Structure formats: structure tokens, C-alpha cells
Amino acid sequence: MLGMECWCWEEVLEIEAQKFSLPLPLPNWPQGKGFGTGRICLGEIEVVQITKFNKIWGCSPSFGKSNCVSFYKPDEIPKGYCILGHYCQPDGEKHLTGYVLAAKDLTVNQKDTVRDLTSKLPALQKPLNFTLIWSSDSQYNGSGYIWMPNAPVGYKSMGFLATVEPNEPDPDEVRCVRADLTQNCEACEMMFSSDSLFLKNQFQVWKTRPCKRGMLCKAVSVGTFFCSTTSLSSGDELNIACLKNLDSSLHAMPNLEQIHALIKHYGPTVYLHPDEIYLPSSVTWFFMNGALLYKDGKNNGTAINSKGSNLPAGGENDGEYWLDLPNKDDANRTNVKCGNIETAKLHVHVKPALGGTFTDIAMWIFCPFNGPATVKVGLLSFTLNKVGEHVGDWEHYTLRVSNFSGELWSVYFSEHSGGEWVDACNLEFIEGNKSVVYASRNGHASFPHPGCYVQGSTKLGVGLRNDCARSKYYVDSSSKYHIVAAEYLGEGAVAEPPWLQYMREWGPTIIYDGRSEVEKIIKHLPFFMRFSVESLIELFPTELYGEAGPTGPKEKDNWLGDERW
């Protein structure tokens, strides 16, 4: 039937899915407490991370492989543990990249006798029965069914089950969790939406994540999926839950020796563009080569000592202070502007993620200066005169490591006002399990692969260029790094440098005449490509036209919170 998609539901049982493996086996991590032991105690329950699956069934159009998902049953569950739901992943990905948690009730003894009846209810409980959420009812290659476990009173369901049979699953196959051991979760990425005429009811499949995320949050992602026959949006709260880590010791987080081992094993190499002028430097080099501290109402700047201990510390960014390059009559101004890559290092913040089941290793790099932006309009590019420039550029990327195994799970690439998580299987590895981070020309945003990334409208081919390529300019973060903070280790475990406590701006506020710059671009375009000034301005981020000096790492919302994505 012309113009219509034909959907098939393919039944494939007992096929072991292949998980992505890093280029090299994991090393033997230094001795510690719970890091890398394969299991994590969350208080009354203990969890393990399951990454092996058997495919149950999946959907695919008769022509092509777009918008397809497959459902999987966790495999090789350790004795004494129970699954909390099944797993789902889009078919377009070459490897299985996710996991689900299996849980064990620590309040039940080895003889399976329940605790004293005067205490709380068991941590885990079988569902009462199941509700059929959706069935394929397909005339093609069989059918599939999605089931919601109905939790007993006082318990929460953590995920859905998929079957190829119309009969309800066995209640013994899955467990619900006592409500006080859970937290709310939300939809975060739609994997599938049925808009075909061959499917009677609307059907959406979503990835899930905890509603509350960040260094101080206790929510633990279970790794299960969510299904709905009504329309959802990213961020909508769901009627399934995630787990909560009630073990305040965070025993599965790496100790200091293990942190160093992780960085040396996984630390990426940061490549700057061959035409990059504004290179990174160490913060100390920036201070020692004439950077100045200014205070509102005073004309002259103050020299900063090498550690930054004479900078105003603490508080918040009140606009009272800012840093700047050496004075314009200082011959060293241009030199400082261009940085000094020989002194550059990554400033590392290590923090718990997803309730201490993962470790985030945030690696910050400093450049004394951010260069002007380049605008792409179709096949044409225009480097702006001053627009986009600012003093003191802080950029970062984040390694997310599983505390169950010490395996690198994904890397977050910070890209101006946002960023993206990239699974380990989609990274470019340069040596062993060390990947590559590409810093864009002039702006230093992070990207996983070389090329030209356009920030704006990719459909129209209009936006800001982010050009990335390998060059002789690089920083190896596996050796050139400095751990500046790891709060969970306790006071005094890591000595924070004084400059980290400076919460104000690392550059002066600059207002650009962006409209006149855009008008110059439009005049150079062929008539059929011309936009109105207003419509072109709307495609660019607002910070392009007025740049307050950026704040340091500790003032960013992702210092305590999760990355933006």
C-alpha cells in the first residue's frame, strides 16, 4: 500500500544479546571497600547490575529499520536475586548499551524465614497480578504483549514485562519494592512511537531516569523502560519508580587510590583544532602572567597570586568582582590571551551519580580566552569580528563509571549551553580504553568525533560552526590532571585549590552589536538565501550577543546537579 508503513512484530526467543566490550579488559582495581565488587548495598536491599539479555520480541517496519525497538529479558541472574523489570533498546544501535538491576532482600535470612512480624514489611514482594498495557495484534509475524505488575499495597512497581504469549506472566518472575525504599522517576527519551495505520492504539516506549538527580540525591536508576498508550513528554512523572540508596556511607564509591587508577586508565586525550589560536593553560600560569582582579567601582585591577588565595572566596556571583587579562598597555596581554598548552591540565571533580551506583569524573579545562564565533549559512561561512569573544573560558566533559565493575559507561560532552551523553560503544578510542575529546575551534566545546557541528538549524544549514579535528595541540588527561574536589571522601581528603572558591566571573561583561554583524552577513548572501535579520538572530543562542564573564566550575549548576541533556 503506497505511502503506508507496514509494521512486523518479530518473535525471536532465547537469543543472547551481545553487550559492547571496551577495547581492553578491565584492570584489577586497587583494594577498597565496595567499589568494583559487583554488588551494592542500598540499605535493606542489595542490587547487582545485569548486562546480559535474551531477546523476547521486537517491532520493525517491513521496509528499513527506522524507529524499531526490541524487548529483552535479563539473563544470568545470580542466585537469591530477582529482576525488577525487563529491558528495551532501539534496534538502530549496534550494541546493547544498557542494564537492569536485580535485587535481593537483605532482611530475609538465608533460610528464607521472614523477619519478626512486628517490624516493617519485607523490602521485596511479588506483584498481585498483571495488567495488559498493550498488545500488537499484528497480522504479520506474530504478536507481543506488554504487562504492568500490580504492586501490593505499600509497594511500587519498577518496570514492565514483555511476552509473546497472551497469558499473564508468572508473578514469581518479578518483584515490587516497598514504597519507602523508592523514589519517583520520569520519562527521559522516547524510543518508539506507533503512528502506523496497522497499529490500532497509540503506543509509546520511553527510557526512564530518576526525577531527582545530582551529587546529593539518593535515587538509583533501575534501567527498565516505560510504556504508555497515552501521549507523554520528556520529564513527565511516571507510575513506576526507581530505587533509593539509604546507605549513607556510599561504600561503592571509589577511594582516592582507585580514582587515580580510573583516571589513568580512562583519561581521554583532548585534541584542539589545527587552526586554534586560543589554547588552554593552567590556572596558575594565567595568574602568574598578569591576570588581574577587578572590583566594581575601582578602575585599577589587582594582581593575583599563583594559588589565587587573594581572590574573594565563597558567597555567590554578585557582580562585584571579575577577572581580566593584563592591561592593554601590557606587552604580555596577547601572550596570555593565546594560553600556554604546556602548562594545561584537567581539573577533576569526582562525585556520586545515580545514588552512588555510578561515579561521575568531571574534567574541567581552562582557556584564558574564547575566540570569535563563526556563522555557517548554507555552504558559506563568516567569522564574526568580535561577537562570541570573552575572557576566561571553562569547559568540561564527564566520565560516568559503573561502581559495580569500574567499567566506563558513557561520556558527557559539554557543548556551550547544553551537551550530550555518548555511550562507550560510540566513543573514538585512541589507546586502550582511553577515548578522544575534540575541543571546537575558538569556542572549545567538547565533541566525540571530528567534523563540523552546527549549533542552530541543521535543517536550514544555518548556525554557529564548531569545527573539530586532531592536531599537534592536545592535552592527555590521563597524566595531566589535578583532583580538585571529591566531597564524598570527607573533609581534608582532597585539598581544594583557593581559586576554586572564587564564585564570581572570570572575565568582564561584554555587550556586542550582534545586529550589525548579522546585517553584514545577510548583505553577502545570494538573494535567494537571504533571511530577515530577526529570523537569523533567532537561530543563534542569546549569549552570542551579550557575554557576561563565565563563572568557575563550582558556580555551575552541574557541580551539585546532573549534566544538562
Side-chain angles (χ1 to χ4, degrees), residues 449-464:
H449 302 285
C452 175
Y453 298 83
V454 178
Q455 183 183 10
S457 172
T458 54
K459 183 177 180 180
L460 297 175
V462 177
L464 301 182

Side-chain angles (χ1 to χ4, degrees), residues 492-522:
V494 174
E496 294 189 6
W499 56 260
L500 190 60
Q501 305 300 326
Y502 174 70
M503 310 302 283
R504 275 80 170 189
E505 295 166 355
W506 286 68
T509 298
I510 305 171
I511 304 298
Y512 298 109
D513 186 2
R515 176 174 289 271
S516 64
E517 291 276 0
V518 171
E519 287 176 343
K520 291 176 185 177
I521 293 173
I522 292 176

Side-chain angles (χ1 to χ4, degrees), residues 87-280:
Y87 176 71
C88 180
Q89 181 173 302
D91 287 347
E93 301 175 18
K94 295 180 180 179
H95 302 278
L96 284 175
T97 58
Y99 66 91
V100 295
L101 298 184
K104 178 169 68 173
D105 189 343
L106 297 178
T107 64
V108 176
N109 65 28
Q110 294 180 352
K111 296 181 180 179
D112 291 331
T113 58
V114 181
R115 75 185 100 181
D116 188 337
L117 293 178
T118 61
S119 65
K120 293 180 180 178
L121 295 170
L124 304 178
Q125 190 66 274
K126 298 177 186 179
L128 300 174
N129 48 36
F130 295 85
T131 297
L132 179 62
I133 298 299
W134 189 84
S135 63
S136 68
D137 194 23
S138 172
Q139 60 177 301
Y140 295 99
N141 285 358
S143 300
Y145 303 85
I146 300 291
W147 303 87
M148 172 74 172
N150 293 320
V153 175
Y155 289 82
K156 293 277 190 177
S157 298
M158 314 302 286
F160 293 74
L161 299 188
T163 68
V164 292
E165 301 293 338
N167 303 322
E168 281 192 26
D170 185 347
D172 197 46
E173 185 177 342
V174 69
R175 292 292 184 272
C176 302
V177 180
R178 204 175 69 229
D180 63 310
L181 306 179
T182 71
Q183 286 197 346
N184 297 334
C185 68
E186 65 184 24
C188 66
E189 180 183 334
M190 186 166 64
M191 294 185 282
F192 175 79
S193 179
S194 66
D195 53 6
S196 169
L197 296 179
F198 292 98
L199 300 180
K200 292 182 179 180
N201 302 317
Q202 183 180 21
F203 176 52
Q204 291 183 345
V205 185
W206 289 81
K207 291 183 179 181
T208 65
R209 65 183 180 188
C211 293
K212 294 181 179 180
R213 304 176 304 281
M215 184 174 81
L216 304 178
C217 297
K218 299 179 179 180
V220 174
S221 177
V222 179
T224 55
F225 62 91
F226 182 82
C227 288
S228 175
T229 55
T230 58
S231 201
L232 284 178
S233 298
S234 182
D236 285 354
E237 191 171 312
L238 308 176
N239 60 359
I240 62 172
C242 60
L243 294 172
K244 179 165 61 175
N245 190 352
L246 296 177
D247 185 349
S248 60
S249 70
L250 295 175
H251 73 286
M253 290 294 294
N255 60 31
L256 196 56
E257 186 181 5
Q258 290 167 335
I259 292 172
H260 284 292
L262 288 167
I263 296 172
K264 290 174 181 176
H265 187 74
Y266 292 125
T269 296
V270 182
Y271 277 102
L272 293 107
H273 194 273
D275 298 327
E276 183 62 72
I277 298 174
Y278 307 107
L279 298 170

